[in-house]
Amino acid sequence: MGGAEYYIKNLVHLYKEDKEYDFVVYGNEALNSILKINNTSVFTNSKPFKTILNFLKVLFKERPDVIHLNLTYPFSCFWIQLLALFMFRHRFVATLHIARTYKKKRILNSFLKQIYKRIKIILVAEAAKEELYEFYGIRNKEIQVIPNWVDTKKFHSISEAQKLKIKEELDIDKKAKVALFVGRFEEQKNILELIKASEKLINSDKDWRIVLVGDGSQLNIIKQKSRELGIQTNLMIFPFNDNPHTFYSIADVFLLLSKYECAPLTLLEAMSCGIPPVVTDVGDMRLMVNDSGVVCNSNLSDIKIRVQRAIDHGPAFWKDIIKENYTPLIAKKNMTKVYANLKRS
């Protein structure tokens, strides 16, 4: 249960060939359509009270061995977290993505400390350990980190001939160099600063094309800012695509200059395709790029230097980071150990 539908999808897909596990997933119709796994059923609701009732029905009908909460931030799915305090016969594990907060609520924080003594917490990012302590005063040695992972069979590099064909289909000049962003056009992603940084790239080399794939509230502001900076002809915007591999395939560099992050899946997808990334020092991104000189300073004035350093490492360097740290095999091994320990407890 919980947000971040793609994490739920990837988690279930880890076990799609495993007959030992059956999944009942709370989500939405979009999630239902992308799961498509025989041993998975989905129940959905938009109204909170009906969601609670349906959850309780599933709970007592299915009698699950493990209830896996997918918490975008500590207070998401909080009503189920509270139930965990009283449901002694059921075993809870919770994946926590971002542990930061904007409002410190002392009473709720005290509840969290009690809940996290009962729930097995998995953090997606190492950085979340310090966030938990800074914002909630929680420091638990049993909390472990199992990072995001990426399907390396799906996200891979393609031939030069295929790249040129895709560029032609997207109406991108074959000689153009592509700087790619995939994600939400929101303040978190620092999207306006990304446009300003893009101007520096374009001014250094007119062959750069900035390709943005996504949607969000800042779409019109992006268009306005690009016109103000005079780079609108070098900027291309595409709607969000369930299969962004097409765009990764033609990218020369991937830009993720967010204000805050966890362990972003798009970064792993790009690196798995051999795309050099340039990132900001938030969440686990410095760790994810192996501290390899591609982390921008806070005002992004060094964007051109970081882009060139990323490219100089070569595609194999970025693929190897994924193979050694962020594969489905590694994730399943770690997650299965968590589930097994819960069953025995």
Side-chain angles (χ1 to χ4, degrees), residues 43-282:
F43 72 97
T44 65
N45 274 115
S46 57
K47 296 179 180 179
F49 184 67
K50 289 191 71 174
T51 299
I52 294 172
L53 288 179
N54 274 358
F55 170 72
L56 292 174
K57 287 178 183 177
V58 171
L59 182 66
F60 293 113
K61 179 182 177 182
E62 302 289 344
R63 299 185 180 278
D65 297 293
V66 176
I67 299 171
H68 192 134
L69 307 179
N70 190 35
L71 310 179
T72 308
Y73 58 95
F75 291 116
S76 55
C77 282
F78 193 63
W79 57 274
I80 303 184
Q81 294 189 58
L82 286 175
L83 287 177
L85 289 173
F86 307 101
M87 301 175 70
F88 303 107
R89 293 186 296 109
H90 297 282
R91 301 169 180 88
F92 288 80
V93 58
T95 302
L96 181 58
H97 293 254
I98 295 175
R100 62 181 296 160
T101 186
Y102 297 100
K103 295 179 180 179
K104 295 185 178 182
K105 299 178 179 179
R106 191 172 299 172
I107 296 176
L108 291 178
N109 283 8
S110 63
F111 268 117
L112 272 186
K113 290 178 182 179
Q114 295 302 314
I115 290 168
Y116 285 7
K117 289 178 182 178
R118 295 189 49 78
I119 295 180
K120 178 69 176 178
I121 295 291
I122 298 170
L123 300 177
V124 174
E126 289 284 347
K129 286 183 178 179
E130 292 307 312
E131 290 176 346
L132 267 181
Y133 182 69
E134 178 183 354
F135 295 115
Y136 302 99
I138 295 173
R139 194 183 292 281
N140 187 336
K141 293 181 179 179
E142 294 183 5
I143 294 177
Q144 62 180 303
V145 178
I146 300 179
N148 260 324
W149 60 94
V150 62
D151 185 349
T152 51
K153 293 180 181 178
K154 180 178 179 181
F155 293 97
H156 55 83
S157 54
I158 62 174
S159 69
E160 193 63 30
Q162 289 174 302
K163 287 183 182 181
L164 293 177
K165 183 179 179 182
I166 294 173
K167 277 188 171 182
E168 185 177 2
E169 292 171 352
L170 296 174
D171 197 25
I172 297 175
D173 190 288
K174 292 181 179 180
K175 295 181 180 179
K177 295 185 283 189
V178 176
L180 176 68
F181 166 82
V182 177
R184 291 174 287 110
F185 302 156
E186 302 294 348
E187 185 180 359
Q188 175 203 346
K189 300 297 182 179
N190 212 14
I191 198 76
L192 291 183
E193 291 303 316
L194 185 149
I195 298 300
K196 293 178 186 177
S198 298
E199 181 197 19
K200 294 182 174 67
L201 276 183
I202 294 167
N203 287 341
S204 68
D205 188 339
K206 298 299 181 184
D207 284 340
W208 277 107
R209 298 292 181 273
I210 313 303
V211 176
L212 309 182
V213 181
D215 50 47
S217 64
Q218 295 193 328
L219 175 59
N220 290 332
I221 301 175
I222 291 168
K223 294 178 180 179
Q224 178 184 336
K225 193 66 181 178
S226 66
R227 288 193 295 268
E228 289 176 6
L229 297 173
I231 62 171
Q232 68 272 23
T233 57
N234 292 64
L235 178 70
M236 303 183 74
I237 301 175
F238 295 89
F240 182 77
N241 191 309
D242 283 339
N243 183 18
H245 183 254
T246 296
F247 296 99
Y248 292 128
S249 299
I250 61 166
D252 295 283
V253 68
F254 182 72
L255 304 179
L256 192 57
L257 309 176
S258 306
K259 292 182 177 180
Y260 60 91
E261 283 288 356
C262 171
L265 189 57
T266 55
L267 178 56
L268 297 181
E269 290 171 350
M271 290 166 63
S272 185
C273 294
I275 308 305
V278 173
V279 300
T280 42
D281 191 9
V282 294

Side-chain angles (χ1 to χ4, degrees), residues 28 32 34 109 161 164 213 231 233 281 285 296 300-301 308 310:
N28 52 35
N32 197 8
I34 61 178
N109 283 8
L164 293 177
V213 181
I231 62 171
T233 57
D281 191 9
M285 292 207 289
C296 276
L300 308 181
S301 60
Q308 191 55 55

